Amino acid sequence: MKYLLVSDIHGSLPRLRRALDFYHAQHCDMLLLMGDIINYGPRNGLPEGLDAQGIVAALNPLADDIVAVRGNCDSEVDQMLLSFPILDDYALLVDDGLRILLTHGHVYHKDHLPHGRYDAVITGHTHLWELSVSPDGTLCCNTGSITFPKNGNPPTLAIMEHGVITMFTLDGEPLASLPIPRRTRKNT
């Protein structure tokens, strides 16, 4: 499977369209959304092309191929508009034996995880992209934001395929790539 990883759309239809163009051009199988989909949030300015109904119209046809988690700006009202679940704080994706935690980052993040063993933790929330391996061997990926990147970073998203995560700019330029470490399980 080939996954596109996106976070922090914050209602910007032009940015979502660019991400979906990338999704289709890369022939991805699924879209993984790490929250903050429709609402721009009170701490952010108004995004370019703010269009809640346009976001809904662009994403709902892909509902069968979307896994999403709740961001701090997502609400029950947003869920009423979207045809795929968005209100869980995290989801566990298992791909080729790799255990991948999807979460926004405001409740759970690389330094505070729900109980369990994860080979990779994928977040958003900070609007700062990251691709690193923690001391315990867990790959940590923050997809940044396609709408409100911080600290002079470009808008970013990522692709996960064959156990490798590659970070890209929204323009499709690769920034970094890391394999998800395969750790051996302890038999008890």
Side-chain angles (χ1 to χ4, degrees), residues 28-132:
C28 293
D29 299 298
M30 292 191 76
L31 177 59
L32 307 180
L33 298 174
M34 267 49 69
D36 287 359
I37 298 167
I38 295 175
N39 195 317
Y40 61 91
R43 293 181 296 178
N44 300 309
L46 290 176
E48 165 199 9
L50 178 63
D51 185 349
Q53 292 297 324
I55 297 288
V56 169
L59 290 176
N60 278 348
L62 301 171
D64 290 344
D65 298 322
I66 294 175
V67 173
V69 294
R70 180 179 67 90
N72 57 304
C73 294
D74 296 320
S75 71
E76 289 83 5
V77 173
D78 300 335
Q79 181 62 86
M80 292 170 62
L81 299 172
L82 295 167
S83 299
F84 50 91
I86 66 164
L87 293 179
D88 287 325
D89 288 330
Y90 65 91
L92 177 65
L93 174 73
V94 178
D95 184 61
D96 192 28
L98 294 168
R99 299 169 56 90
I100 301 155
L101 180 75
L102 309 175
T103 189
H104 181 63
H106 68 296
V107 175
Y108 297 110
H109 47 79
K110 68 181 182 178
D111 297 320
H112 175 69
L113 298 173
H115 293 289
R117 178 187 63 82
Y118 309 104
D119 299 299
V121 175
I122 300 172
T123 64
H125 184 59
T126 65
H127 299 207
L128 298 168
W129 75 269
E130 174 187 1
L131 197 55
S132 63

Side-chain angles (χ1 to χ4, degrees), residues 110 118-121 130-142 163 165 177-183:
K110 68 181 182 178
Y118 309 104
D119 299 299
V121 175
E130 174 187 1
L131 197 55
S132 63
V133 177
S134 70
D136 75 352
T138 303
L139 185 136
C140 301
C141 172
N142 186 314
I165 296 180
S177 187
L178 280 177
I180 299 171
R182 291 193 177 269
R183 297 182 283 179

Side-chain angles (χ1 to χ4, degrees), residues 135-157:
D136 75 352
T138 303
L139 185 136
C140 301
C141 172
N142 186 314
T143 61
S145 173
I146 63 170
T147 302
F148 294 125
K150 290 186 178 177
N151 292 357
N153 282 300
T156 51
L157 40 66

